[in-house]
Amino acid sequence: MALFKKKKRKIKYRFADDVLAKDTVVSLIMGILAAAAIIISVVIAVAKLGRAGEEVGLLLLSAIVMSVTGLVFGIISLYTVEGGTNSKHISIMICLIDLALIVLFYGFSRI
């Protein structure tokens, strides 16, 4: 005989028909393209023995634009119902890693 019953906490589940949200796909593509631009810029810089000015700078600037755009789309996709949350978090992490690498490379280029 319990006078006080514990209230069960309702667990909210999110179900979606789509595997990935459209914003997540855009964010993933932008993050992967930014990572490819970073890798290409590193290869060019190594091939030219560190004397590749405009090519590497232009690639890294385009990687910044793509990474920030992907990050914005990833954050927007967090608030949509479609798609799973793992892919949304992965797309945001890819864009953040791209931005961290770009900041790291620009920091070392100024030394």
Side-chain angles (χ1 to χ4, degrees):
M1 188 168 122
L3 294 176
F4 300 103
K5 291 184 180 179
K6 286 186 178 180
K7 290 185 179 181
K8 289 187 178 181
R9 198 173 110 207
K10 290 185 180 180
I11 299 173
K12 294 182 181 180
Y13 293 104
R14 294 174 101 185
F15 296 103
D17 292 335
D18 298 332
V19 176
L20 292 173
K22 292 175 183 139
D23 297 334
T24 307
V25 173
V26 171
S27 177
L28 281 170
I29 290 172
M30 289 292 189
I32 291 170
L33 286 177
I38 292 169
I39 291 169
I40 291 170
S41 67
V42 169
V43 169
I44 289 174
V46 169
K48 292 193 174 185
L49 301 174
R51 292 193 170 92
E54 292 97 17
E55 297 93 4
V56 172
L58 184 63
L59 277 172
L60 288 179
L61 284 176
S62 64
I64 288 173
V65 171
M66 287 186 283
S67 182
V68 169
T69 305
L71 187 63
V72 168
F73 274 103
I75 292 172
I76 289 172
S77 73
L78 279 177
Y79 297 104
T80 60
V81 179
E82 299 94 20
T85 57
N86 288 338
S87 59
K88 295 174 184 180
H89 292 292
I90 288 172
S91 66
I92 291 173
M93 281 186 211
I94 289 173
C95 292
L96 286 175
I97 290 170
D98 290 341
L99 282 175
L101 284 174
I102 292 168
V103 167
L104 184 77
F105 289 149
Y106 272 126
F108 278 127
S109 69
R110 300 293 178 208
I111 293 177

